Amino acid sequence: MASNSSPKRSRTVVLGTGAGIPRKVLTNFDLEKMVDTSDEWIVQRSGIRERRIGSEGESSITFTTQASLAALEDAGLAPEDLDLIIMASHTPDMTLPSGSCLLQGRIKAKNARAFDLLAGCTGWLYGMVVADNFIKNSPDFKVLVVGSEFLSNRLDWEDRTTCVLFGDGAGAVVLTGGGDGRGILSTCLRSDGTQWEALTMLGPGSMYPITHEFVDKKLHVVRMEGNRVFRLAVPALEEVAWFVLTDAGFAPSDVDWFIPHQANIRIMESVAGRLGIPMEKVIVTIDKYGNTSSATIPVALSEAARDGRIKRGDLVLLASFGGGFTWGAVLIRW
Ligand code: ACO
């Protein structure tokens, strides 16, 4: 999946970014009243201080639409300019139609093909790589890649080991081909389906259809062996980061901004430390939003691009890890 790093070839460039974040804030102190936990435990173990949760009447499409329209506006494009929509989510509004088709209809992107992509928390990053390959074939293509999760109704609010970690939200980018040496320099995707039990949302699906037992056993919620995931994530993220850097001819010291998946501040610190990237160069949003799964990186990217931290010409390293397991990295000259 690596791409050639010659400066002359057309690359996939980011035209615009956007985020859709729920207004409702759920703090660690709110959670202290719901389960046997404490602000101190959650901050020390995860770095999360609060997360955003959708309200009644809101669902995935609410925040997917906000993020997508913001990214289009930032790109200076209208919805009908889009050729393709890729939506990464394991919590879309419906099983059928896809979240991407609902979005296409909602924003009236009448010229866009649309499909969903399921790769756990790494879904948006997988979407970036798929979009990059479309754009290599058709450099004029305008592609929206949106990561969106509505996890709050897929959590067991009595399970303190998971409910404190996640939040709702969406982040999006608009991509196209460009020829000035900027853009996606290298990509790397990996999967390992042998350890899938460590992080699941078992149903509803053909193996676990909806029955009374399904509901009683809460088989629709996120279950995670956090410690096992933690130990797998750190070396995996480090390996793919090294892969894309080496492939494009860079060292970690060349990186201006590192945006890892926002699942746990200790994972981010550990990976950054192994790579020798100082934390001042790591974009962190987990304190505000928790783990929004496939939305974490595009939300963080959007915030850092819009507040001026990420500047034209910066070398930006993205790396993600999630259920499946799936993981990967993308290196961008901004
Ligand atoms: N409040 C208080 N105590 C808690 C809580 C809580 N919310 N949750 C667990 N504990 C307790 C446990 O019961 C355990 O108690 P015990 O020692 O008496 O058995 C103790 O705290 C330690 O539990 P651990 O699970 O060992 O704690 P750990 O330091 O591993 O932190 C955490 C847990 C935060 C989940 C961490 O393992 C983690 O972040 N894992 C990685 C998750 C991840 O990376 N996911 C990303 C990919 S997947 C995705 O994003 C969807």
Side-chain angles (χ1 to χ4, degrees):
M1 277 301 192
S3 59
N4 185 322
S5 57
S6 150
K8 289 191 182 135
R9 58 174 293 174
S10 171
R11 298 187 197 289
T12 298
V13 292
V14 179
L15 290 179
T17 66
I21 304 291
R23 274 189 300 276
K24 184 173 170 189
V25 178
L26 189 69
T27 67
N28 292 348
F29 299 106
D30 295 327
L31 283 162
E32 283 181 356
K33 296 175 200 140
M34 297 162 64
V35 285
D36 180 15
T37 192
S38 67
D39 174 61
E40 189 189 4
W41 191 97
I42 301 170
V43 173
Q44 274 182 8
R45 298 291 178 125
S46 71
I48 301 167
R49 293 184 182 278
E50 57 188 41
R51 68 287 295 141
R52 300 296 183 95
I53 300 292
S55 303
E56 206 180 325
E58 295 177 332
S59 66
S60 170
I61 189 79
T62 315
F63 307 109
T64 312
T65 303
Q66 281 174 14
S68 303
L69 291 178
L72 281 164
E73 190 184 358
D74 192 35
L77 295 177
E80 56 266 30
D81 295 326
L82 290 173
D83 298 287
L84 174 64
I85 295 172
I86 302 173
M87 174 166 157
S89 181
H90 47 272
T91 53
D93 287 86
M94 301 169 192
T95 305
L96 191 69
S98 64
S100 54
C101 276
L102 277 184
L103 175 68
Q104 191 242 20
R106 178 71 67 95
I107 66 173
K108 301 188 175 57
K110 60 182 184 187
N111 298 310
R113 304 97 178 135
F115 66 89
D116 284 15
L117 192 157
L118 187 60
C121 301
T122 320
W124 178 83
L125 201 119
Y126 265 69
M128 288 289 279
V129 178
V130 173
D132 184 36
N133 281 291
F134 265 98
I135 290 167
K136 278 177 187 151
N137 280 327
S138 308
D140 293 337
F141 252 44
K142 309 283 185 296
V143 184
L144 177 83
V145 186
V146 55
S148 175
E149 303 293 356
F150 202 90
L151 283 156
S152 57
N153 58 15
R154 303 300 293 271
L155 296 174
D156 178 353
W157 289 102
E158 294 175 347
D159 175 11
R160 67 176 183 173
T161 69
T162 51
C163 76
V164 305
L165 301 173
F166 297 96
D168 301 333
V173 293
V174 177
L175 306 170
T176 194
D180 64 358
R182 295 184 304 124
I184 293 180
L185 303 179
S186 180
T187 65
C188 174
L189 296 179
R190 307 231 188 274
S191 303
D192 176 3
T194 63
Q195 306 202 53
W196 62 270
E197 302 99 322
L199 179 49
T200 58
M201 224 156 55
L202 290 175
S206 55
M207 195 181 279
Y208 298 100
I210 300 175
T211 59
H212 287 292
E213 192 192 6
F214 176 94
V215 176
D216 293 343
K217 289 188 171 171
K218 296 188 189 172
L219 296 184
H220 64 292
V221 301
V222 176
R223 300 282 181 212
M224 178 167 69
E225 293 175 47
N227 215 286
R228 186 168 153 202
V229 177
F230 194 111
R231 281 183 277 114
L232 290 165
V234 173
L237 287 164
E238 184 193 2
E239 189 269 324
V240 289
W242 272 113
F243 182 97
V244 293
L245 285 168
T246 309
D247 177 60
F250 292 102
S253 55
D254 296 314
V255 171
D256 294 296
W257 294 107
F258 178 32
I259 309 183
H261 173 45
Q262 314 274 314
N264 186 310
I265 190 71
R266 291 184 294 139
I267 294 179
M268 292 185 244
E269 287 169 348
S270 182
V271 176
R274 284 168 173 235
L275 292 167
I277 297 175
M279 282 306 285
E280 300 78 62
K281 292 186 172 184
V282 180
I283 309 282
V284 176
T285 57
I286 191 166
D287 52 330
K288 299 185 290 185
Y289 305 138
N291 180 351
T292 55
S293 191
S294 63
T296 70
I297 295 180
V299 166
L301 184 65
S302 179
E303 287 201 357
R306 282 159 171 262
D307 69 18
R309 274 176 290 173
I310 300 179
K311 296 185 175 57
R312 193 180 172 98
D314 280 354
L315 192 63
V316 181
L317 172 64
L318 315 177
S320 191
F321 185 89
F325 286 101
T326 56
W327 64 104
V330 169
L331 188 68
I332 306 176
R333 178 66 76 192
W334 198 256

